[in-house]
Amino acid sequence: MTTGAIIMMLFGLGITWGGAAYCISVAMNKQSK
């Protein structure tokens, strides 16, 4: 694997986990109100 491929993979994982965490936090906020 090249360094670029590894960086792109980590970047993609970051977006995926970031989006999931964002959705969960939004759901929590809606639930608490």
Side-chain angles (χ1 to χ4, degrees), residues 7-23:
I7 289 171
M8 287 301 292
M9 188 178 68
L10 290 174
F11 191 65
L13 280 173
I15 292 174
T16 303
W17 284 106
Y22 178 75
C23 287

Side-chain angles (χ1 to χ4, degrees), residues 16-33:
T16 303
W17 284 106
Y22 178 75
C23 287
I24 290 169
S25 66
V26 169
M28 287 290 194
N29 287 336
K30 284 184 178 177
Q31 205 170 33
S32 64
K33 285 181 182 174

